[in-house]
Structures are given as C-alpha cells and as structure tokens.
Amino acid sequence: MSTVMSRYKQPKKLEALALYKLGDWVAQQAEWQTIPITMLSQTNINMAQATLSSNIQHIRTYLDYNVPWMLQDLFANEAIRALSELLEKTKNSLGFRASMGKFVSQMNVIVRTAEVLFTKKITVVVIDSLPKMLRSVFYTNLHTLTGLVYLNLGSLSGGWKTADMEEAVVKSLKELHLLKYLIINYDCTDTVLRCIVENCKLLEKLDVSSSKCITDVSVDIICKMKKLKGIQLYRTFVSLMGFVNLLINCKYLEDIGRCDDIGRVLECIDANSSERTTLNLRTFVSRYATFNQLQLAVQICPFIRNMTVFHKTLDTDLMSLIGLQDLQELKLLSCDFYADQVKQVLQIKGSNLVSLHLEHVDQIDLNALMYISQMCPFLESLTLYNCTLIKHTSLYTKKLEIQPFRNLKKLTCVSTCTDDQLTFILSNCLNVEYIHLGTAIQLTDDFIFKILDKNPLIYLKELRIMQSDFLTMTSIERIIQSCMSLELLVELESWTLLTDNDREYLKNYIKVNNYNVSTSSSRRYDSEN
C-alpha cells in the first residue's frame, strides 16, 4: 500500500507546513523592520543597530522556546529559504532613482535577521549551501552555535587569504566542543589544528584537502586528536614520512582518503617495525600500489572494507585481494576481467561484496555479467564506467543457480554495451532504486517497453538517461505508469526527439495526474541517501 501511495503527491505533513510558515514568519519580521530601522539609521545609526539587535534577540528567544530542539535544523533551512526570497525581492525592487543608502540599510536588516537562528540547538551547517549574502553573518556568528556536530566551512578564501580567515575560524572552533565532523578546505593551518586539539575533543572526521599550510609538522598536531577516525589530506604538503607518522600514532584512524603513496607508506612502516604492525584502516585508495604493496596492505591492514586498486600489468596481482576478510566495497581500475583474474577474485570474495565499481575494465561480455550476478549475490551497487563491453563468443550455458541482481539497489552504466547485456541486467534487478545510463547507450521505445514488460521497476526512485536520439513521450508515459515509486526522471533536456511542447505536455501530465515525479535536475534522490 505504501508503494502505491508514494506514486501520487501527498498533502504535506502538518509539521512541514508549520515549519514552512514559520520560515515565512521570520522573513516577515525582517520585512516589517526594514522601514523603521532604515528611517532610524538616517538620524542615529548606533540607535538603529542597537534596536535591531534587541529585536533579533527577542525573536531568537521566542523561537528558542517554541521550536522543538529536534526540528531546529529543519526550521533553519526554511528560515534561510524565506530570507533568501526576501533578499531577492528587495534586490529586484531597487529602482533607477532609488537611494543606495536606503537599499543597503534594508538589505542589512534582512541579512542580520538570520542571527535569530544562532542557538545551541542547531547541529548542522554547510556554508556552501547558503546564499552568498548570508554567508558573512554565519562566519561572524559561528561561535554561538555551540551545539554544532557537523560543520562544512567549504573553500573559505580558496587559499588566497588563509591568514585573514584564520582568526575567525579559531574564534568559532574554540566554542564548538561537540563537533564531530569538520570540513575546511584550502585554508586550514597549524593554528587551526591546535585549536581543534584543545577544544574539539570529540572530532572523528576532518577534511583539510588542498590546504597548502598543512605539512609534516601538522601531522604531529593531528596525532593528538584522540578520537579521529577519518582525515582527508589530498593535495596538501604532507610527505610520505608524514603519512607514516600519522598511521603509526593515530591508532583509531580508519580512513586517510586518497593517498597514492600508501603502498610505499606501508613498506616504510613494515621496514622500521621490529614486530608486525596492525593498522585500523578500513579504506584503501591508491593508483600506484604494486603486488608486494598490496600483499603488505592485506597483512598490515586486515580490516579493509573499501578497496580501490589501479591495476598495472606485470606489477599488480589482484589475487592478493582475496586475503581481505572484511572486504565489502571493491573498485577496480584499468584491468581485464579474465586476463587479470577479476573473475577469480569475485569467485572467492564476491559473496562479501555489496558494492562493485569497474572502471576501464576490458573483456566484459554477457558471460562476465552472469558471473558477477552469481558470484556477488548480495551486491547492492554496480558501476560500469568507461568499460569495454564486448559481444560474447560462446554463451554461458549452465542454468543460473542464483536469481541475478535481486539485491541491486543502484546501477550506473556509463559504458557502451549491447542490448543483450543491458537487458540481462535491467530485466533482473527487480529491487533497483537508482539507474544512471550514460551517453554511449542509445535506447529505443521498443527496448523500454520490452524491459518494463519483464521488470516493471516498481521500486525505482530515480532514472537518469543522459542522452537519447530515439526515445519519445511514449517511453516517458510508460515509465511513469510502470515505475510506481518514481520520484525523479531527469536529463530529459538531452533527449533530442522531445520538443518544447512535449516538455510542457509532460509537466501538465504529471500535474493533472498528481504524480509524485520531478523532472528537475536540481533535485537528486541518490545524493540524499
């Protein structure tokens, strides 16, 4: 029943309606204050700012008492939406003869009204998702958000004015004692790291990618973060020995992000240890690991769950991966399915895998897809990216013992493939929720109908067909009718046979039938899950 109900747009819950209106109410308070505050600022600017601050404090207290703590983050989103709309409305109302001083004063009132959100109940802030005009007030007042658990400061100055940003960042971090996740790209410094060590003692994940001030000296500071499980140091100046220091001294570290020298790092650790070292790493990402380094990874990092390997002929033997007992997610780049023993690896480790990503992997034919379906019965995510899928010479004739791809939830195919290969996957993934097909795949209306006759894709929530020269409105109507859980049908602007009239018809067709389907590429089901 719930599947059928999701097919149609439902009335919004009272909670959502209340939060939406409350966001509008905040914007309304800002709009009501613009005229009196602007008039007052013309005679006494200090009094105007004091009055505005007092009003903001009154509204903040009122909201703090009346909005339940578990809804504060949702409410903040609605308030930001409403204030953004008011900023745009005010900006558009600026006439040719309007007073610039009056306009600036009005915009200042609206921007400062965002300060009503700064309470200890807000737990998540992502600066890059905020309208640019509101970011400054967040940077200035972050220190008041003492309940923050997740903070994404984005790129800040992009590395151009790191010294200028440092003081503001440190001021904020000194008060954020509950922080567990911090992203600060480009502008992290050793001073910021010391502040984190002293004040953010619960921090588990830190991303300082592209920060040019981060060096081996910084690693000594990072090693003092006792609860750190994940750190991203890509495009910093941490050397091989810096990573050695990091892995030896951060006992709980599970993820160091992409580190192309990880193989050499492990060799250094092994060479300088009197007894066998065991690291807690769960994620291994490298494009340059040799066979010996892979073997070392299996021995030193026995808990690896997520493995990314760039295969180099004569230098890498993928069979070494079979020693990883906890392997669940495997990404292989630049290899041959049969010649490089990918099949043999899957034969042994496939029953563990929930995610398989094959990129620039050759020799994949229909038989290979059948092998994958049988050897990886619990696979939830399958990606074929820029692979060479070839026509089979002799078909796998044994009866399939396991129903293929029954647990698959996500399928991404950005490779050229035959109709038989695509049919095999699409007709069997009965529970798939997300499908992304690349530009190399050219579907027809007849193919869509044939697939949906075999597998109506009743759990599919997002469908992305990146480009088509043959699909028409006939396929769209059939997809919407068959895929009862569909929420997103996107990239239709690249379907060349669709006219502007077709797109307008589709918009009205969805509206008239009250279908819960969006064709807007700005929404994304996959990123929300």
Side-chain angles (χ1 to χ4, degrees), residues 214-219 233 236-246 259 261-262 264-265:
I214 301 302
T215 65
D216 288 355
V217 174
S218 311
V219 173
L233 293 166
T236 62
F237 284 99
V238 176
S239 70
L240 184 148
M241 292 311 298
F243 278 102
V244 170
N245 181 17
L246 182 70
C259 174
D261 278 332
I262 183 64
R264 294 171 59 203
V265 170

Side-chain angles (χ1 to χ4, degrees), residues 433-447:
E433 296 178 358
Y434 170 90
I435 295 176
H436 176 177
L437 302 179
T439 56
I441 297 174
Q442 286 294 320
L443 304 180
T444 63
D445 289 343
D446 288 342
F447 183 86

Side-chain angles (χ1 to χ4, degrees), residues 82-96:
L83 289 171
S84 302
E85 292 171 357
L86 181 57
L87 283 168
E88 198 64 28
K89 174 185 170 182
T90 305
K91 186 167 62 174
N92 293 335
S93 68
L94 180 65
F96 180 70

